[in-house]
Coordinates of all heavy atoms in Angstrom, one line a residue:
M59 N -3.8 0.7 1.4 CA -2.7 1.3 2.2 C -2.6 2.8 1.8 O -2.6 3.1 0.6 CB -1.5 0.5 1.9 CG -0.3 1.0 2.7 SD 1.1 0.0 2.4 CE 2.3 1.3 2.4
R60 N -2.5 3.6 2.8 CA -2.3 5.0 2.6 C -0.8 5.4 2.9 O -0.3 5.0 3.9 CB -3.2 5.9 3.4 CG -4.6 5.8 3.0 CD -5.5 6.7 3.8 NE -6.8 6.6 3.3 CZ -7.5 7.6 2.9 NH1 -7.0 8.8 3.0 NH2 -8.7 7.5 2.4
V61 N -0.3 6.3 2.0 CA 1.0 6.8 2.3 C 0.8 8.3 2.3 O 0.2 8.9 1.4 CB 2.0 6.4 1.1 CG1 3.3 7.1 1.4 CG2 2.1 4.9 1.1
K62 N 1.4 9.0 3.3 CA 1.3 10.4 3.4 C 2.7 11.0 3.1 O 3.7 10.5 3.4 CB 0.9 10.9 4.8 CG -0.5 10.7 5.1 CD -1.0 11.3 6.4 CE 0.0 11.9 7.3 NZ -0.6 12.4 8.6
C63 N 2.6 12.2 2.4 CA 3.9 12.9 2.1 C 4.4 13.4 3.5 O 3.7 14.1 4.2 CB 3.5 14.1 1.2 SG 4.9 15.2 1.0
E64 N 5.6 13.1 3.7 CA 6.2 13.6 5.0 C 6.5 15.1 5.0 O 6.8 15.7 6.0 CB 7.4 12.7 5.4 CG 8.6 12.8 4.4 CD 9.6 13.9 4.7 OE1 9.7 14.2 5.9 OE2 10.3 14.3 3.8
T65 N 6.5 15.7 3.8 CA 6.8 17.1 3.8 C 5.5 18.0 4.0 O 5.6 18.9 4.9 CB 7.3 17.5 2.4 OG1 8.5 16.7 2.1 CG2 7.6 19.0 2.2
C66 N 4.4 17.6 3.3 CA 3.2 18.5 3.5 C 2.0 17.7 4.1 O 1.0 18.4 4.5 CB 2.8 19.0 2.1 SG 2.1 17.8 1.0
G67 N 2.1 16.4 4.3 CA 1.0 15.7 4.9 C -0.1 15.2 4.0 O -1.0 14.5 4.5
H68 N 0.0 15.6 2.8 CA -1.1 15.2 1.8 C -0.9 13.7 1.4 O 0.2 13.1 1.6 CB -1.1 16.1 0.5 CG -1.8 17.3 0.7 ND1 -1.3 18.4 1.4 CD2 -3.0 17.7 0.2 CE1 -2.2 19.4 1.3 NE2 -3.2 19.0 0.6
K69 N -2.0 13.2 0.8 CA -2.0 11.8 0.3 C -0.9 11.7 -0.8 O -0.8 12.6 -1.6 CB -3.3 11.5 -0.2 CG -3.5 10.1 -0.7 CD -4.9 9.8 -1.1 CE -5.0 9.5 -2.5 NZ -6.4 9.3 -3.0
A70 N -0.2 10.6 -0.8 CA 0.7 10.3 -1.9 C 0.3 9.0 -2.6 O -0.3 8.2 -2.0 CB 2.1 10.1 -1.3
L71 N 0.6 9.0 -3.9 CA 0.4 7.8 -4.7 C 1.6 6.9 -4.8 O 2.7 7.5 -4.9 CB -0.1 8.2 -6.1 CG -1.4 9.0 -6.2 CD1 -1.7 9.4 -7.6 CD2 -2.6 8.1 -5.6
I72 N 1.4 5.6 -4.8 CA 2.5 4.7 -4.9 C 2.6 4.4 -6.4 O 1.7 3.9 -7.1 CB 2.2 3.4 -4.2 CG1 2.1 3.6 -2.7 CG2 3.4 2.4 -4.5 CD1 1.6 2.4 -1.9
N73 N 3.7 4.8 -7.0 CA 3.9 4.7 -8.5 C 4.5 3.3 -8.8 O 4.2 2.7 -9.8 CB 4.9 5.8 -9.0 CG 4.4 7.1 -8.6 OD1 3.2 7.5 -8.9 ND2 5.2 8.0 -8.0
S74 N 5.4 2.8 -8.0 CA 6.0 1.6 -8.3 C 6.6 1.0 -7.0 O 6.7 1.7 -6.0 CB 7.1 1.7 -9.4 OG 8.1 2.6 -8.9
R75 N 7.1 -0.2 -7.1 CA 7.7 -0.8 -5.9 C 8.9 -1.6 -6.3 O 9.0 -2.1 -7.5 CB 6.7 -1.7 -5.2 CG 6.0 -2.7 -6.1 CD 5.0 -3.6 -5.5 NE 5.7 -4.7 -4.9 CZ 5.3 -5.4 -3.8 NH1 4.2 -5.1 -3.2 NH2 6.0 -6.4 -3.3
N76 N 9.8 -1.8 -5.4 CA 11.0 -2.5 -5.6 C 11.3 -3.4 -4.4 O 11.5 -2.9 -3.3 CB 12.2 -1.6 -5.9 CG 13.5 -2.3 -6.2 OD1 13.5 -3.4 -6.8 ND2 14.6 -1.8 -5.8
E77 N 11.2 -4.7 -4.7 CA 11.3 -5.7 -3.6 C 12.8 -5.8 -3.3 O 13.6 -6.3 -4.1 CB 10.7 -7.0 -4.0 CG 10.7 -8.0 -2.8 CD 9.9 -9.3 -3.1 OE1 8.7 -9.1 -3.4 OE2 10.5 -10.3 -3.1
I78 N 13.2 -5.4 -2.1 CA 14.6 -5.5 -1.6 C 14.9 -6.9 -1.2 O 15.9 -7.5 -1.5 CB 14.8 -4.5 -0.4 CG1 14.4 -3.1 -0.8 CG2 16.3 -4.6 0.0 CD1 15.2 -2.5 -2.0
D79 N 14.0 -7.5 -0.4 CA 14.0 -8.9 -0.1 C 12.6 -9.3 0.3 O 11.7 -8.4 0.2 CB 15.0 -9.2 1.1 CG 14.6 -8.8 2.4 OD1 13.4 -9.0 2.8 OD2 15.4 -8.2 3.2
P80 N 12.3 -10.6 0.5 CA 10.9 -11.0 0.7 C 10.1 -10.2 1.8 O 8.9 -10.2 1.8 CB 10.9 -12.4 1.0 CG 12.2 -12.9 0.4 CD 13.2 -11.7 0.5
K81 N 10.9 -9.5 2.7 CA 10.2 -8.8 3.8 C 10.4 -7.3 3.8 O 9.9 -6.6 4.7 CB 10.7 -9.4 5.2 CG 10.3 -10.8 5.4 CD 10.8 -11.3 6.7 CE 10.3 -12.7 6.9 NZ 10.7 -13.3 8.2
V82 N 11.0 -6.8 2.7 CA 11.3 -5.4 2.6 C 11.0 -4.9 1.2 O 11.6 -5.5 0.3 CB 12.7 -5.0 3.0 CG1 12.9 -3.5 2.9 CG2 13.0 -5.5 4.4
V83 N 10.1 -3.9 1.1 CA 9.8 -3.3 -0.2 C 10.0 -1.8 -0.2 O 9.5 -1.2 0.8 CB 8.4 -3.7 -0.6 CG1 8.0 -3.1 -2.0 CG2 8.2 -5.2 -0.7
D84 N 10.6 -1.3 -1.2 CA 10.7 0.2 -1.4 C 9.5 0.6 -2.2 O 9.2 0.0 -3.3 CB 12.0 0.6 -2.1 CG 13.2 0.7 -1.1 OD1 13.0 0.7 0.1 OD2 14.3 0.8 -1.6
L85 N 8.7 1.6 -1.7 CA 7.6 2.1 -2.5 C 8.0 3.5 -3.0 O 8.3 4.4 -2.2 CB 6.4 2.3 -1.5 CG 5.9 1.0 -0.8 CD1 4.8 1.3 0.2 CD2 5.5 -0.1 -1.8
Y86 N 7.9 3.7 -4.3 CA 8.2 5.0 -4.9 C 6.9 5.8 -5.0 O 5.9 5.3 -5.7 CB 8.8 4.7 -6.3 CG 10.2 4.2 -6.2 CD1 10.4 2.8 -5.9 CD2 11.3 5.0 -6.2 CE1 11.7 2.3 -5.8 CE2 12.6 4.5 -6.1 CZ 12.8 3.2 -5.8 OH 14.1 2.7 -5.7
C87 N 6.9 6.9 -4.3 CA 5.6 7.6 -4.1 C 5.7 9.1 -4.6 O 6.8 9.7 -4.6 CB 5.3 7.7 -2.7 SG 5.2 6.1 -1.9
T88 N 4.6 9.6 -5.1 CA 4.5 11.0 -5.5 C 3.4 11.7 -4.7 O 2.2 11.2 -4.6 CB 4.2 11.2 -7.0 OG1 5.2 10.4 -7.7 CG2 4.2 12.6 -7.4
C89 N 3.7 12.8 -4.1 CA 2.7 13.6 -3.3 C 1.6 14.1 -4.3 O 1.9 14.6 -5.4 CB 3.3 14.7 -2.6 SG 2.2 15.8 -1.7
T90 N 0.3 14.0 -3.9 CA -0.8 14.5 -4.8 C -1.0 16.0 -4.6 O -1.8 16.5 -5.4 CB -2.1 13.7 -4.5 OG1 -2.4 13.9 -3.1 CG2 -1.9 12.3 -4.8
N91 N -0.4 16.7 -3.7 CA -0.5 18.1 -3.6 C 0.2 18.8 -4.7 O 1.4 18.7 -4.8 CB 0.0 18.5 -2.2 CG 0.0 20.0 -2.0 OD1 -0.4 20.8 -2.8 ND2 0.4 20.4 -0.8
P92 N -0.6 19.5 -5.6 CA 0.1 20.1 -6.8 C 1.1 21.1 -6.4 O 2.0 21.4 -7.2 CB -1.1 20.7 -7.5 CG -2.3 20.8 -6.6 CD -2.0 19.7 -5.5
D93 N 1.0 21.7 -5.2 CA 2.0 22.7 -4.8 C 3.3 22.0 -4.3 O 4.3 22.7 -4.1 CB 1.5 23.6 -3.8 CG 0.3 24.5 -4.3 OD1 0.3 24.8 -5.5 OD2 -0.6 24.8 -3.5
C94 N 3.2 20.7 -4.0 CA 4.4 20.0 -3.4 C 5.1 19.1 -4.4 O 6.2 19.3 -4.8 CB 3.9 19.2 -2.2 SG 5.2 18.3 -1.4
R95 N 4.3 18.1 -4.9 CA 4.8 17.1 -5.9 C 6.1 16.4 -5.4 O 6.9 16.0 -6.2 CB 5.0 17.7 -7.3 CG 3.8 18.4 -7.8 CD 2.6 17.6 -8.0 NE 2.8 16.6 -9.1 CZ 2.0 15.6 -9.3 NH1 1.0 15.3 -8.5 NH2 2.3 14.8 -10.3
H96 N 6.2 16.2 -4.1 CA 7.4 15.5 -3.6 C 7.4 14.1 -4.1 O 6.4 13.4 -4.0 CB 7.3 15.6 -2.0 CG 8.4 15.0 -1.3 ND1 8.3 14.6 0.0 CD2 9.7 14.7 -1.6 CE1 9.5 14.1 0.5 NE2 10.3 14.2 -0.5
Y97 N 8.5 13.7 -4.6 CA 8.8 12.3 -5.1 C 9.7 11.7 -4.1 O 10.8 12.1 -3.9 CB 9.4 12.4 -6.5 CG 9.5 11.0 -7.2 CD1 8.5 10.2 -7.3 CD2 10.8 10.6 -7.6 CE1 8.6 8.9 -7.9 CE2 11.0 9.4 -8.2 CZ 9.9 8.6 -8.4 OH 10.0 7.3 -9.0
F98 N 9.3 10.6 -3.5 CA 10.1 10.0 -2.4 C 9.9 8.5 -2.3 O 9.0 7.9 -3.0 CB 9.7 10.6 -1.0 CG 8.2 10.4 -0.7 CD1 7.8 9.4 0.2 CD2 7.2 11.3 -1.1 CE1 6.5 9.2 0.5 CE2 5.9 11.1 -0.8 CZ 5.5 10.0 0.0
V99 N 10.7 7.9 -1.5 CA 10.7 6.4 -1.3 C 10.3 6.1 0.1 O 10.9 6.7 1.1 CB 12.0 5.8 -1.6 CG1 12.0 4.3 -1.3 CG2 12.5 6.0 -3.0
A100 N 9.2 5.3 0.3 CA 8.8 4.8 1.6 C 9.2 3.4 1.7 O 9.2 2.7 0.7 CB 7.3 5.0 1.8
K101 N 9.5 2.9 2.9 CA 9.9 1.5 3.0 C 8.8 0.7 3.7 O 8.3 1.2 4.8 CB 11.2 1.4 3.8 CG 12.0 0.1 3.7 CD 13.4 0.2 4.3 CE 14.3 1.0 3.5 NZ 14.7 0.5 2.2
L102 N 8.4 -0.4 3.2 CA 7.4 -1.3 3.8 C 8.1 -2.5 4.2 O 8.8 -3.2 3.4 CB 6.3 -1.6 2.7 CG 5.2 -2.6 3.1 CD1 4.4 -2.0 4.2 CD2 4.4 -3.0 1.9
T103 N 8.0 -2.8 5.5 CA 8.7 -4.0 6.0 C 7.7 -4.9 6.8 O 6.7 -4.5 7.4 CB 9.8 -3.7 7.0 OG1 9.2 -3.0 8.1 CG2 10.8 -2.8 6.4
Y104 N 8.0 -6.2 6.7 CA 7.2 -7.2 7.5 C 7.7 -7.0 8.9 O 8.9 -6.9 9.2 CB 7.5 -8.6 7.0 CG 7.0 -9.7 7.9 CD1 5.7 -10.1 7.8 CD2 7.9 -10.3 8.8 CE1 5.2 -11.1 8.7 CE2 7.4 -11.3 9.6 CZ 6.1 -11.7 9.6 OH 5.6 -12.6 10.4
S105 N 6.8 -7.0 9.9 CA 7.2 -6.9 11.3 C 7.1 -8.2 12.0 O 8.1 -8.7 12.4 CB 6.3 -5.8 11.9 OG 6.6 -5.7 13.3
H106 N 5.9 -8.7 12.2 CA 5.8 -9.9 13.0 C 4.4 -10.6 12.8 O 3.5 -10.0 12.3 CB 6.0 -9.7 14.5 CG 5.0 -8.7 15.1 ND1 5.1 -7.3 15.0 CD2 3.8 -8.9 15.7 CE1 4.1 -6.8 15.5 NE2 3.3 -7.7 16.0
T107 N 4.3 -11.8 13.1 CA 3.1 -12.6 12.9 C 2.1 -12.4 14.1 O 2.6 -12.4 15.3 CB 3.4 -14.1 12.8 OG1 4.2 -14.3 11.6 CG2 2.1 -14.9 12.7
I108 N 0.9 -12.2 13.8 CA -0.1 -12.1 14.9 C -0.9 -13.4 15.0 O -1.1 -13.9 16.1 CB -1.1 -10.9 14.6 CG1 -0.4 -9.6 14.6 CG2 -2.3 -10.9 15.5 CD1 -1.1 -8.4 14.1
S109 N -1.2 -14.0 13.9 CA -1.8 -15.3 13.9 C -1.1 -16.1 12.8 O -1.0 -15.7 11.7 CB -3.3 -15.2 13.6 OG -3.9 -16.5 13.5
A110 N -0.6 -17.3 13.1 CA 0.2 -18.1 12.2 C -0.6 -18.5 10.9 O -1.8 -18.7 11.0 CB 0.7 -19.4 12.8
S111 N 0.1 -18.5 9.8 CA -0.6 -18.9 8.6 C -1.1 -20.3 8.7 O -0.4 -21.2 9.2 CB 0.5 -18.8 7.4 OG 0.0 -19.5 6.3
Q112 N -2.2 -20.6 8.1 CA -2.8 -22.0 8.1 C -1.9 -22.9 7.3 O -1.8 -24.1 7.5 CB -4.2 -22.0 7.6 CG -5.2 -21.3 8.5 CD -5.1 -22.0 9.9 OE1 -5.3 -23.2 10.1 NE2 -4.9 -21.2 10.9
L113 N -1.2 -22.3 6.3 CA -0.3 -23.1 5.4 C 0.9 -23.6 6.3 O 1.3 -24.7 6.2 CB 0.2 -22.2 4.3 CG -0.8 -21.8 3.3 CD1 -0.2 -20.8 2.3 CD2 -1.4 -23.0 2.6
Q114 N 1.4 -22.7 7.1 CA 2.5 -23.1 8.0 C 2.1 -24.1 9.0 O 2.8 -25.0 9.4 CB 3.1 -21.9 8.7 CG 3.8 -20.9 7.8 CD 4.2 -19.6 8.4 OE1 3.5 -19.1 9.3 NE2 5.4 -19.1 8.0
A115 N 0.9 -23.9 9.6 CA 0.4 -24.9 10.6 C 0.2 -26.3 10.0 O 0.6 -27.3 10.6 CB -1.0 -24.4 11.2
R116 N -0.3 -26.3 8.8 CA -0.5 -27.6 8.1 C 0.8 -28.3 7.8 O 1.0 -29.5 8.1 CB -1.3 -27.3 6.8 CG -1.7 -28.6 6.1 CD -2.5 -28.3 4.8 NE -3.7 -27.5 5.2 CZ -4.1 -26.4 4.5 NH1 -3.4 -26.0 3.5 NH2 -5.1 -25.8 4.9
E117 N 1.8 -27.5 7.4 CA 3.1 -28.1 7.1 C 3.8 -28.6 8.4 O 4.4 -29.6 8.4 CB 4.1 -27.1 6.4 CG 3.8 -26.9 4.9 CD 3.9 -28.2 4.2 OE1 4.9 -28.9 4.4 OE2 3.0 -28.6 3.4
A118 N 3.6 -27.8 9.5 CA 4.2 -28.2 10.8 C 3.5 -29.5 11.3 O 4.2 -30.4 11.8 CB 4.0 -27.1 11.8
A119 N 2.2 -29.6 11.1 CA 1.5 -30.8 11.5 C 2.0 -32.0 10.7 O 2.2 -33.1 11.2 CB 0.0 -30.6 11.4
L120 N 2.2 -31.8 9.4 CA 2.6 -32.9 8.5 C 4.1 -33.3 8.9 O 4.4 -34.5 9.0 CB 2.6 -32.5 7.1 CG 1.1 -32.5 6.5 CD1 1.2 -31.9 5.1 CD2 0.5 -33.9 6.5
D121 N 4.9 -32.3 9.1 CA 6.3 -32.6 9.5 C 6.3 -33.4 10.8 O 7.1 -34.4 11.0 CB 7.1 -31.3 9.7 CG 7.5 -30.7 8.4 OD1 7.3 -31.4 7.4 OD2 7.9 -29.5 8.4
Y122 N 5.4 -33.0 11.8 CA 5.4 -33.7 13.1 C 4.9 -35.2 12.8 O 5.5 -36.1 13.4 CB 4.4 -33.0 14.0 CG 4.3 -33.7 15.4 CD1 5.3 -33.8 16.3 CD2 3.1 -34.4 15.7 CE1 5.2 -34.4 17.4 CE2 3.0 -35.0 16.9 CZ 4.0 -35.1 17.7 OH 3.9 -35.8 18.9
L123 N 3.8 -35.3 12.0 CA 3.3 -36.7 11.8 C 4.4 -37.6 11.1 O 4.5 -38.8 11.5 CB 2.1 -36.6 10.9 CG 0.8 -36.3 11.5 CD1 -0.4 -36.1 10.5 CD2 0.4 -37.3 12.5
R124 N 5.1 -37.0 10.2 CA 6.2 -37.8 9.5 C 7.3 -38.2 10.5 O 8.0 -39.2 10.3 CB 6.8 -37.0 8.4 CG 5.8 -36.8 7.2 CD 6.5 -36.0 6.1 NE 5.5 -35.7 5.0 CZ 5.1 -34.5 4.7 NH1 5.7 -33.4 5.2 NH2 4.2 -34.3 3.8
S125 N 7.5 -37.4 11.5 CA 8.6 -37.7 12.5 C 8.2 -38.8 13.4 O 9.1 -39.4 14.1 CB 8.9 -36.4 13.3 OG 7.9 -36.1 14.2
L126 N 6.9 -39.2 13.5 CA 6.5 -40.2 14.4 C 6.7 -41.6 13.9 O 6.7 -41.8 12.7 CB 5.0 -40.0 14.7 CG 4.5 -38.8 15.4 CD1 3.0 -38.7 15.5 CD2 5.1 -38.7 16.8
A127 N 6.8 -42.6 14.8 CA 6.9 -44.0 14.4 C 5.5 -44.3 13.8 O 4.5 -43.7 14.2 CB 7.2 -44.8 15.6
P128 N 5.4 -45.3 12.8 CA 4.2 -45.6 12.2 C 3.0 -45.9 13.1 O 1.9 -45.5 12.9 CB 4.5 -46.8 11.3 CG 6.0 -46.6 11.0 CD 6.6 -46.0 12.2
S129 N 3.4 -46.7 14.2 CA 2.3 -47.0 15.2 C 1.8 -45.8 15.9 O 0.6 -45.6 16.1 CB 2.8 -48.1 16.2 OG 3.9 -47.5 16.9
E130 N 2.7 -44.9 16.3 CA 2.2 -43.6 16.9 C 1.4 -42.8 16.0 O 0.4 -42.2 16.4 CB 3.5 -42.8 17.4 CG 4.2 -43.5 18.5 CD 5.5 -42.6 18.8 OE1 5.3 -41.6 19.6 OE2 6.6 -43.0 18.3
R131 N 1.8 -42.8 14.7 CA 1.1 -42.0 13.7 C -0.3 -42.5 13.5 O -1.3 -41.7 13.5 CB 1.9 -42.1 12.4 CG 1.4 -41.1 11.3 CD 2.1 -41.2 10.0 NE 3.6 -41.2 10.2 CZ 4.5 -41.9 9.6 NH1 4.1 -42.7 8.6 NH2 5.7 -41.9 9.9
Q132 N -0.4 -43.8 13.4 CA -1.8 -44.4 13.3 C -2.7 -44.2 14.5 O -3.8 -43.9 14.3 CB -1.7 -46.0 13.0 CG -1.2 -46.3 11.7 CD -2.1 -45.8 10.6 OE1 -3.3 -45.8 10.7 NE2 -1.5 -45.3 9.5
H133 N -2.1 -44.2 15.7 CA -2.8 -44.0 16.9 C -3.3 -42.5 16.9 O -4.5 -42.3 17.2 CB -1.9 -44.2 18.1 CG -2.6 -43.9 19.4 ND1 -3.6 -44.7 19.9 CD2 -2.4 -42.9 20.3 CE1 -4.0 -44.2 21.1 NE2 -3.3 -43.1 21.3
L134 N -2.5 -41.6 16.5 CA -2.9 -40.2 16.5 C -3.9 -39.9 15.4 O -4.9 -39.2 15.6 CB -1.6 -39.3 16.2 CG -1.8 -37.8 16.4 CD1 -2.2 -37.5 17.8 CD2 -0.5 -37.1 16.1
I135 N -3.8 -40.6 14.2 CA -4.8 -40.4 13.1 C -6.2 -40.9 13.6 O -7.2 -40.3 13.4 CB -4.3 -41.1 11.9 CG1 -3.1 -40.3 11.3 CG2 -5.4 -41.2 10.8 CD1 -2.4 -41.0 10.1
K136 N -6.2 -42.1 14.3 CA -7.4 -42.6 14.8 C -8.1 -41.7 15.8 O -9.3 -41.5 15.8 CB -7.2 -44.0 15.5 CG -7.0 -45.1 14.4 CD -6.8 -46.4 15.1 CE -6.5 -47.5 14.1 NZ -6.0 -48.7 14.7
Q137 N -7.3 -41.1 16.7 CA -7.8 -40.1 17.6 C -8.4 -38.9 17.0 O -9.5 -38.4 17.3 CB -6.7 -39.6 18.6 CG -6.3 -40.6 19.6 CD -5.3 -40.1 20.6 OE1 -4.4 -39.3 20.2 NE2 -5.4 -40.4 21.9
V138 N -7.8 -38.4 15.9 CA -8.3 -37.3 15.1 C -9.6 -37.7 14.5 O -10.6 -36.9 14.5 CB -7.3 -36.8 14.1 CG1 -7.9 -35.8 13.2 CG2 -6.1 -36.2 14.8
Q139 N -9.7 -38.9 13.9 CA -10.9 -39.3 13.2 C -12.1 -39.4 14.2 O -13.2 -39.2 13.9 CB -10.7 -40.6 12.5 CG -9.8 -40.5 11.3 CD -9.4 -41.8 10.7 OE1 -9.3 -42.8 11.4 NE2 -9.0 -41.8 9.4
I140 N -11.8 -39.8 15.4 CA -12.8 -39.9 16.5 C -13.4 -38.5 16.8 O -14.6 -38.3 16.9 CB -12.3 -40.6 17.8 CG1 -12.0 -42.1 17.5 CG2 -13.3 -40.4 18.9 CD1 -11.3 -42.8 18.6
V141 N -12.5 -37.5 16.9 CA -12.9 -36.1 17.2 C -13.7 -35.5 16.1 O -14.7 -34.8 16.3 CB -11.7 -35.3 17.5 CG1 -12.0 -33.8 17.6 CG2 -10.9 -35.8 18.7
I142 N -13.3 -35.8 14.8 CA -14.0 -35.2 13.6 C -15.3 -36.0 13.5 O -16.3 -35.9 13.4 CB -13.1 -35.4 12.3 CG1 -11.9 -34.6 12.5 CG2 -13.9 -34.9 11.1 CD1 -10.9 -34.7 11.4
Ligands
ZN242 ZN1 3.7 16.8 -0.2

């Protein structure tokens, strides 16, 4: 990940980070331009999902299977085994 100094446009280094919450992190950065040396905070935030996590898909499938009656669950498992 690249961070640019908003003052001079040079590359900046991330010195440390502070997690504000699981989706927001403050990045403490220093500009690498020796004439600038701007020290600043950039904010990194989670925006949105493009493709769902396989971990979430697996949990959703298990939750759905658990919600079914045992006979429905067995029927669905047999259908999956036929496909695989
Ligand atoms: Zn700079």
Side-chain angles (χ1 to χ4, degrees):
M59 181 178 140
R60 287 184 178 237
V61 177
K62 282 186 3 181
C63 173
E64 60 92 24
T65 301
C66 72
H68 276 73
K69 182 174 118 182
L71 296 177
I72 300 169
N73 305 310
S74 62
R75 52 180 276 151
N76 182 31
E77 188 172 301
I78 305 301
D79 73 44
K81 295 184 178 181
V82 180
V83 176
D84 279 345
L85 303 174
Y86 290 81
C87 307
T88 304
C89 177
T90 58
N91 178 355
D93 295 329
C94 179
R95 305 300 291 166
H96 184 198
Y97 184 57
F98 60 96
V99 177
K101 200 168 286 295
L102 176 66
T103 62
Y104 169 83
S105 176
H106 61 278
T107 297
I108 295 171
S109 176
S111 163
Q112 291 303 304
L113 297 174
Q114 292 172 323
R116 188 175 303 133
E117 282 301 313
L120 287 172
D121 286 347
Y122 177 70
L123 280 174
R124 289 182 188 119
S125 73
L126 296 174
S129 62
E130 293 176 81
R131 188 179 315 141
Q132 286 302 320
H133 179 71
L134 193 58
I135 290 171
K136 284 179 185 171
Q137 285 184 320
V138 170
Q139 288 171 337
I140 291 170
V141 173
I142 297 173

